[in-house]
Amino acid sequence: MTAATPHPAALIALDWGTSSLRAYRMAAGGEILDTRHLPWGIMRLPTPPGDGAAPPAAASGFELAFEQACGDWLRATPGLPVIACGMVGSAQGWAEAAYLDIPVDLRAIGARLTPVDTRRGAILRIIPGLLQRQGLPNVIRGEETQVVGAVDSQADAAEDLLVGLPGTHCKWVRVRDGRIVEFDTFMTGEVYAALRAHTILGRTMADAASADDAAFEQGLGVAGSEQGRGGVLSTIFSTRALGLTGQLAPTAQPDYLSGLLIGHEVCALRALLDARGMPSRIVLCGDEALCRRYARALPRFGLATPGLAAQAAERGLWRLAVSAGLV
C-alpha cells in the first residue's frame, strides 16, 4: 500500500501578539499542517546567546523569535510566503504597519501589507490595523484578521453581522455587506485582572477548582437589575461586601466579579445597538470558555444567541494571504 503524499506547504502565518506567538504552516487549500505556540510576544522576546540578562535589541529579539517559530519550515521550503497579524505591526513591534481608516472592505485589508526584510532572507508581510476616527478614536490591531476569518466561517454571510471578540480588550465589530463599518472596545478583561491583582477586592478572593456558574449568573443578574443602574463603579465593591457578610464564598467571588463586569459590558452594548439598530446575527470568536460566558450573557440582556466561529485567526490569515496574492 502506497503512503499518502503529504500536502506541500504554501504559507506560513503568524498570529503575533503582546504576550505570545502562534505559528501555522498551511497547505495550498488553507489546511493547517503544523502549529506552534511560543511565549515570545512583542513585550517578551528571546535574548541572543551570550548577552546574559541584558535585554535584546528589538530587531535581534524579533529575529530570534521568528527563527524559532518558522526557521526550519523556511529551510525545508525556501521562498515560502510569510504573513503576520497582531501587535508585531504596532509602534512597539518589529515594524509599524499603518492603520487603515474604516469603513473598509474586508478584501482591501490584504492589499496594504507592510513588508519586513528578515535576516534569513524571507520577507515577513504584516497586516495593517484599523482606525475609527468618528467620535472617540478607536483602533484594532490583530482582531481585523479574526473578523475576516469569522465572516469566512459563515455558510451564508449575513448582510449585517456583529462579531464579538472577548479577551483582554473585548471588541465588537460591525460588518455590513463585506465592509467593517464600526467597532467598540471594552477593556473588561484587563479591568478584571487589575481588580483581582491590585485592589482590595482581591484580598478576600480564593481560586476555585472549577468555574462557579451560579456566582457568574449572580453577577450578571446584579448588572442587569435596578441595583446595576448606577453603573459598574457602583456595583463592583459588592464583591467584597457580599463576602464580608457571608453571602459569597471566597472561591465564588472571582466568578461573581466576572459576571458583574461582563454584564455591565453587555448592558452597555445593548444600549449602543438600540441606538444604531440590531444586527441580523452575532458571532463570537476567541477563547472557548470566555466565549461561552458571553454566549450566556447576551440573551439575558435581550440580544440574539450568538454563533461561534472556530479558528478565526487562522482562517483570516489565509484569506488575507489569498487576497494579497501571496498564495
Side-chain angles (χ1 to χ4, degrees), residues 61 91 198 201 226:
H198 302 294
L201 300 184
E226 189 69 26

Side-chain angles (χ1 to χ4, degrees), residues 46-78:
T47 303
D51 283 5
S60 61
F62 283 110
E63 290 280 6
L64 282 172
F66 183 75
E67 176 65 28
Q68 290 182 29
C70 58
D72 57 336
W73 294 345
L74 288 166
R75 284 189 290 275
T77 313

